[in-house]
């Protein structure tokens, strides 16, 4: 089989490389000349574990290639995937569909045989129908069907998620399109991955329902964590106690500074707007969005409080700025709220992140970037952990303590144990756990 993948971002590049690993011939297309040049040179423009090997292997096998020329990419394809960005539209929070519709117009111009046009981007209900209408308008004669195939991979574990997903959701408008999609995902059928075949609208909504549910779950445990602090309970024990109930499930019950990243913030907001627009408001999700926005800002106040009520003229060491470990993605990372708030309160911020500093450098002016975790610490008044990278989990605490001006640690990811930290002589703050007496 042969496909074209439009967009070589976190989703397009990973999906394209994984399909090629399945034996499909994949041509990845992007408008960004820099990205395509780097990919052609064998460089991977994003940080995603394992992606470099996967891409190199399939390029060498002749199944994966990169181009800016969509016409060339679409020659003889069974399907063309749209995997472009759908960021929040400035001002109103609706998903900005200009990249998706732009891609649809371009696809229309190059359709010369029956092709399934698949939307992999996360798009509001009705987008697939509009993609169909755009193509029909530009090319009334074209032979095509549209399909929706939302992506559920997570950055940082994207390849494993794509290769061994909990399920694949496919919204198809014809049996013929459904059959092409089934053939593409055949290797996953063989390992008995559940495939949910449904309508276009249902597939589109399923993606938003999944992301908003997960955002609500995180927000729930974050609020329970705050309550734990007030009543002297331990949020991890509560999470385990409820998570072992199969109806609740263990995952996504880890408290933190609030969800961030390229999906949850924009997708929660977009679904809220869709629901309001059709007169069926999602009040739970409206509240989730509000709580999460405020939470990220409150995290800076926690750091200030741990520093004795003021950070004016003080140095705050920050470990991790990416929205989660194993990615360089800075989109809507909690650090983008926390660091500027600390700076506004008069702090000098010295930070380190194993993968995101290049991106973060553009978004967080005034930060002094260090070469490693220890490089942030010398003479700092406190250290705050914002991202739970593995390399921050086993710091040499004696060394950390000796380097800090005062042994104050604010662990917004709960990667250390309060008792251990007390024994090591730290003034330690975490989320939702009692501080040892
Ligand atoms: P991204 O911003 O990393 O990549 C999008 C790419 O599309 C960019 O390289 C851009 O240059 C390219 N592009 C835009 N218009 C184009 C066009 N007309 N022709 C060719 N290339 C074009 O985005 P992403 O993070 O990969 O997300 C893509 C979609 O997948 C979004 O809708 C997102 O919500 C969804 N999604 C993302 C994730 C994730 O973890 N990042 C997970 C699941 C779903």
């Amino acid at each position: 089989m042969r496909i074209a993948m439009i967009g070589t971002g976190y989703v397009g590049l990973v999906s394209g490389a994984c399909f090629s690993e399945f034996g499909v011939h994949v041509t990845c297309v992007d408008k960004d000349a820099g990205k395509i040049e780097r990919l052609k040179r064998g460089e991977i423009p994003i940080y995603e574990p394992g992606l470099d090997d996967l891409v190199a292997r399939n390029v060498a096998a002749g199944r994966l290639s990169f181009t800016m020329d969509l016409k060339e990419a679409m020659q003889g394809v069974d399907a063309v995937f749209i995997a472009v960005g759908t960021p929040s539209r400035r001002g109103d929070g609706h998903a900005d569909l200009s990249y998706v519709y732009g891609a649809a117009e371009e696809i229309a111009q190059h359709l010369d045989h029956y092709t399934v046009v698949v939307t992999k981007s996360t798009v509001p209900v009705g987008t697939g129908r509009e993609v169909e209408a755009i193509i029909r308008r530009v090319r009334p004669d074209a032979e095509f069907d549209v399909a929706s195939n939302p992506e559920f991979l997570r950055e940082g574990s994207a390849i494993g998620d794509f290769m061994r997903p909990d399920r694949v959701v496919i919204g198809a408008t014809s049996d013929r399109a459904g059959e092409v999609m089934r053939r593409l995902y055949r290797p996953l059928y063989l390992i008995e991955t559940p495939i949910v075949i449904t309508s276009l609208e249902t597939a589109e909504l399923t993606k938003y329902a999944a992301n908003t549910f997960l955002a609500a779950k995180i927000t729930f445990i974050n609020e329970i964590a705050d309550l734990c602090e007030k009543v002297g309970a331990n949020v991890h024990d509560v999470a385990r106690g409820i998570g072992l109930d199969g109806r609740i499930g263990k995952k996504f019950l880890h408290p933190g500074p609030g969800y961030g990243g390229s999906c949850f913030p924009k997708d929660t907001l977009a679904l809220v707007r869709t629901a309001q627009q059709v007169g069926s408001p999602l009040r739970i999700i409206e509240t989730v969005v509000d709580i999460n926005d405020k939470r990220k800002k409150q995290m800076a106040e926690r750091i200030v409080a741990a520093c004795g009520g003021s950070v004016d003229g003080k140095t705050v060491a920050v470990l991790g700025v990416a929205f989660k470990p194993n990615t360089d993605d800075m989109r809507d990372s909690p650090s983008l709220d926390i660091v500027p708030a600390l700076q506004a309160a008069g702090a000098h911020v010295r930070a380190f992140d194993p993968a995101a500093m290049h991106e973060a450098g553009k978004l967080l002016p005034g930060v002094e970037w260090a070469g490693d975790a220890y490089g942030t610490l010398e003479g700092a008044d406190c250290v705050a952990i914002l991202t739970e990278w593995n390399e921050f989990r086993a710091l040499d605490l004696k060394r950390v303590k000796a380097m800090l001006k005062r042994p104050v640690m604010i662990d917004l990811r709960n990667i250390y144990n309060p008792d251990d930290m007390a024994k090591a002589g730290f003034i330690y703050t975490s989320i939702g756990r009692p501080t040892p007496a």
Side-chain angles (χ1 to χ4, degrees):
M1 295 189 82
R2 192 172 281 279
I3 63 169
M5 183 68 68
I6 304 182
T8 59
Y10 291 85
V11 165
L13 186 55
V14 171
S15 313
C18 288
F19 274 127
S20 68
E21 182 79 359
F22 290 169
V24 176
H25 280 85
V26 181
T27 311
C28 291
V29 190
D30 208 291
K31 275 194 166 342
D32 183 333
K35 270 191 188 172
I36 293 297
E37 272 162 32
R38 289 184 66 186
L39 285 162
K40 282 186 165 172
R41 283 200 302 268
E43 291 171 26
I44 305 295
I46 54 169
Y47 177 83
E48 182 61 45
L51 192 54
D52 42 2
D53 286 346
L54 186 73
V55 167
R57 188 165 61 242
N58 285 288
V59 167
R63 286 189 299 262
L64 179 61
S65 58
F66 306 99
T67 181
M68 291 182 70
D69 184 347
L70 181 60
K71 182 172 192 238
E72 170 199 319
M74 280 180 56
Q75 271 168 22
V77 293
D78 299 281
V80 51
F81 281 74
I82 301 174
V84 300
T86 48
S88 273
R89 196 162 68 190
R90 212 175 274 265
D92 65 9
H94 277 286
D96 177 352
L97 296 172
S98 54
Y99 301 101
V100 173
Y101 293 155
E105 299 238 1
E106 291 165 39
I107 290 169
Q109 285 155 22
H110 305 302
L111 282 170
D112 62 4
H113 61 279
Y114 176 77
T115 307
V116 185
V117 180
V118 190
T119 306
K120 205 167 226 341
S121 301
T122 302
V123 293
V125 176
T127 305
R129 298 281 170 204
E130 184 57 27
V131 165
E132 188 173 27
I134 289 170
I135 298 177
R136 195 54 74 213
R137 203 157 48 234
V138 180
R139 286 286 306 284
D141 58 318
E143 230 198 318
F144 73 100
D145 280 311
V146 293
S148 164
N149 174 217
E151 183 50 57
F152 297 95
L153 63 75
R154 295 162 299 174
E155 288 172 20
S157 53
I159 295 169
D161 289 348
F162 192 94
M163 297 284 195
R164 288 176 297 281
D166 290 336
R167 80 313 206 176
V168 171
V169 174
I170 294 170
T173 48
S174 74
D175 291 346
R176 192 175 179 189
E179 185 48 33
V180 169
M181 296 303 289
R182 257 191 291 265
R183 274 173 49 219
L184 270 175
Y185 278 106
R186 208 179 103 80
L188 297 185
Y189 270 102
L190 297 179
I191 58 168
E192 295 185 356
T193 305
I195 314 265
V196 182
I197 305 243
T198 179
S199 71
L200 215 50
E201 288 73 14
T202 303
E204 290 170 338
L205 185 56
T206 302
K207 172 65 190 174
Y208 280 101
N211 272 4
T212 52
F213 187 89
L214 292 171
K217 203 170 175 188
I218 295 174
T219 304
F220 173 80
I221 203 66
N222 281 341
E223 287 213 303
I224 292 289
D226 291 350
L227 181 58
C228 283
E229 287 171 19
K230 298 280 186 214
V231 300
N234 184 322
V235 68
H236 290 302
D237 294 339
V238 173
R240 188 168 147 74
I242 63 172
L244 286 168
D245 184 330
R247 293 170 300 176
I248 295 174
K250 284 183 269 195
K251 294 183 181 164
F252 268 71
L253 288 177
H254 193 87
Y259 61 78
S262 65
C263 292
F264 288 176
K266 79 173 175 63
D267 292 348
T268 43
L269 204 54
L271 189 62
V272 160
R273 293 289 175 261
T274 298
Q276 286 168 346
Q277 202 170 32
V278 299
S280 182
L282 287 170
R283 281 166 306 171
I284 288 183
I285 306 305
E286 288 174 13
T287 307
V288 163
V289 170
D290 183 46
I291 293 170
N292 197 65
D293 282 349
K294 293 197 172 108
R295 183 170 191 83
K296 292 199 240 180
K297 295 185 174 62
Q298 283 157 2
M299 291 300 121
E301 291 163 21
R302 258 178 203 256
I303 296 170
V304 173
C307 287
S310 168
V311 287
D312 196 13
K314 293 183 177 168
T315 297
V316 178
V318 166
L319 299 184
V321 289
F323 84 96
K324 67 172 180 179
N326 295 324
T327 186
D328 58 351
D329 201 339
M330 283 295 296
R331 287 177 282 185
D332 274 317
S333 176
S335 67
L336 296 177
D337 283 300
I338 298 169
V339 170
L342 293 172
Q343 290 169 321
H348 173 65
V349 174
R350 206 189 287 140
F352 170 72
D353 187 285
M357 288 195 293
H358 177 69
E359 207 42 46
K362 301 177 217 161
L363 302 168
L364 292 172
V367 170
E368 181 189 348
W369 297 100
D372 66 4
Y374 296 102
T376 63
L377 300 172
E378 192 61 60
D381 295 85
C382 71
V383 54
I385 299 173
L386 305 195
T387 317
E388 66 277 35
W389 283 91
N390 274 342
E391 66 183 83
F392 303 151
R393 288 177 187 273
L395 294 171
D396 175 347
L397 293 177
K398 276 204 183 106
R399 187 172 166 201
V400 174
K401 195 170 164 216
M403 292 179 84
L404 289 171
K405 200 184 281 175
R406 286 182 68 230
V408 176
M409 180 186 280
I410 305 96
D411 176 3
L412 299 182
R413 300 291 182 171
N414 288 6
I415 60 177
Y416 285 94
N417 177 293
D419 292 325
D420 295 346
M421 295 307 286
K423 276 189 208 121
F426 277 84
I427 304 160
Y428 175 76
T429 311
S430 63
I431 302 214
R433 297 183 297 179
T435 313

